[in-house]
Amino acid sequence: MRFLWVERCVRLFFLLCAFGSVAVTIGIVASLIGEALRFFSRVSPIDFLFGLTWAPYTLPTGEVSGFGAIPLFTGTALITLVAMAVAIPCGTMIAVYLSEYATSSVRQIFKPLLETLAGIPTLVYGFFAATTLAPILREIAGFFQISIASESALNAGLVMGIMILPYMSSLCEDALHRLPTSLREGSMGLGATSSETIVRVLLPAAFPNLMAAFLLSLSRAIGETMIVVMAAGLAANLTFNPLEAVTTVTVQIVNLLTGEQEFDNAKTLAAFGLGFVLFILTLFLNILALYGIKRYKRIYG
Amino acid sequence: MTLKINVNHLNLFYGNKQALFDVSLGFPEFQTTALIGPSGCGKSSFLRCLNRMNDIIPNAHVDGQVLLDDKDIYAPSVDVVELRTHVGMVFQKPNPFPRSIYENVAYGPRIHSLFKSKADLDQIVEKSLVRAGLWEEVKDRLYQPATRLSGGQQQRLCIARAIAVNPEVILMDEPCSALDPIATAKVEELIDELRERFTIVIVTHNLQQAARVSQQTAFFHSGYLVEAGETGALFTIPQDARTQGYITGRYG
Ligand SMILES: Nc1ncnc2c1ncn2[C@@H]1O[C@H](COP(=O)(O)OP(=O)(O)OP(=O)(O)O)[C@@H](O)[C@H]1O
Ligand SMILES: [Mg+2]
């Protein structure tokens, strides 16, 4: 009888643990939604989502102006685009090398190295962007007689690309390595070379999983703050030129909240509005990625 | 009777573990040779020596001679990629590429540029599927994923894929082990027809199958070729006690 008691208590305990984490998550989302709703009662969602000027300001009369988030979205998109332009090709190529060409001893050295790189605080990448890459980019731009902002989307995007590279290449390597040997043998048995096998069979076969890797990396890039604060700046320019300064959703959230204690004006509440948009976006990307993997498993698993 | 492939004193090592010991065997042209023997005796390993598939395994090492039309395929000047267009392979588990049926068959011709026009390629694909006995079943859905075919259809697709590059020899490693009796019968029938144009080597655990499809049978045991000969003779009057034991089901 005593054992039954213990069993029950243990079970209850673990049940509570599981419930606890789910409850906390739900609580976080609920509070986010609550605050976001408070924000949208003061600033119309239309103005917020489609407005072209970001200079949040509340007039003494209580009127609000400058809550158009489009420049933040384009800034985020621009930096993310640059980051993905670096990370997708490099990540895929690193993965192909590690999975298909590297001998097992090389792989044993490289994989932990990549994982270490993934553990570096993003602040360090931010320093690198601001103190090393920015001057180099300025030199290059100067050589070609073009002007580049000291804090530019290009700078932030490049470093962000480098930051997600380890994560991306590790995911892509898994995607390739998991493919059955029989696919490789089938192709080689028909007289294909390794490179033909990779390009024509392995990459297409791994495509859904590679896609998932891209999407997961993308949502990581979108959520990144520190690098952008240090390398791209705070100026909410509406531009598609990567040589200019832009700002992102995450940076503006930090910016809106620093120094404020009260969450009762439109300006601080705007942070929740932005956070909500960001949450929906990354949630959507993650679901898309998971769905991709599931579909793949259904077809080839 | 000409020998298409002639193997002389072949030894195979995985690292420093020897898997095949001094194997010598000739494969008559336009005949089917069955390789039989207990699990782990080296049948697959031997088969993979014939198109140098073992090259893919990092620490595999071969010595001895494998002559294809009197030319040693292990000579340094041999282009492995070219060799594999002459010696095709069908694997134990059907392994279609996750692409369309058409693209699976067109894969070999594409990488070796064996066609002049799209019509030409269509022709090759059709001819290969007809020869593999699959054309009637798939002609209306050539552009659907090959992975949606049944296991038996997939295996015949893999055979079509192999014959699309017009090889001279086809190696098959237990091609029916994942198939039901009806699909197996179809593949066996196919093997018999293919013999008109190709020299076939088939590994099988099914002794009836070996008796049905092959003209020559070779019995392997722990890395040694124990006995080889005309299929009927080997099954009725085996020379070696181990062969006799195996075919009468005393071990295996
Ligand atoms: N890649 C490899 N590395 C090391 N040893 C291997 C490798 N492949 C096969 N072997 C060994 O070589 C021997 C022969 O294996 P092989 O696969 O050729 O046997 P088989 O006759 O085809 O068996 P089965 O009927 O089960 O398919 C076995 O002892 C096996 O463990
Ligand atoms: Mg085998």
Side-chain angles (χ1 to χ4, degrees), chain A residues 182-183 185-193 196-197 200-201 204-205 299-300, chain B residues 48 53 56 81 84 87 91 95-99 107 110-112 147 161-162:
Chain A
S182 65
L183 274 185
E185 289 187 338
S187 172
M188 306 284 252
L190 288 166
T193 60
E196 283 165 340
T197 303
R200 288 168 181 258
V201 176
I299 301 177
Y300 308 113
Chain B
R48 295 163 61 95
M53 251 349 229
I56 301 175
V81 166
R84 294 195 189 126
V87 186
F91 297 84
N95 57 349
F97 305 132
R99 306 176 73 173
Y107 183 79
R110 272 194 208 286
I111 56 178
H112 302 297
T147 39
R161 189 173 72 182

Side-chain angles (χ1 to χ4, degrees), chain A residues 176-222:
Chain A
L176 283 175
H177 212 69
R178 251 207 311 267
L179 292 174
T181 321
S182 65
L183 274 185
R184 294 183 183 88
E185 289 187 338
S187 172
M188 306 284 252
L190 288 166
T193 60
S194 300
S195 60
E196 283 165 340
T197 303
I198 290 163
V199 173
R200 288 168 181 258
V201 176
L202 300 182
L203 288 178
F207 183 72
N209 276 18
L210 292 176
M211 226 31 224
F214 298 161
L215 291 176
L216 291 176
S217 310
L218 182 65
S219 67
R220 203 173 231 213
I222 290 175

Side-chain angles (χ1 to χ4, degrees), chain B residues 10-27:
Chain B
L10 183 85
N11 291 289
L12 171 70
F13 303 84
Y14 291 116
N16 42 27
K17 179 173 166 285
Q18 188 161 3
L20 290 173
F21 300 84
D22 194 36
V23 175
S24 298
L25 181 61
F27 297 84

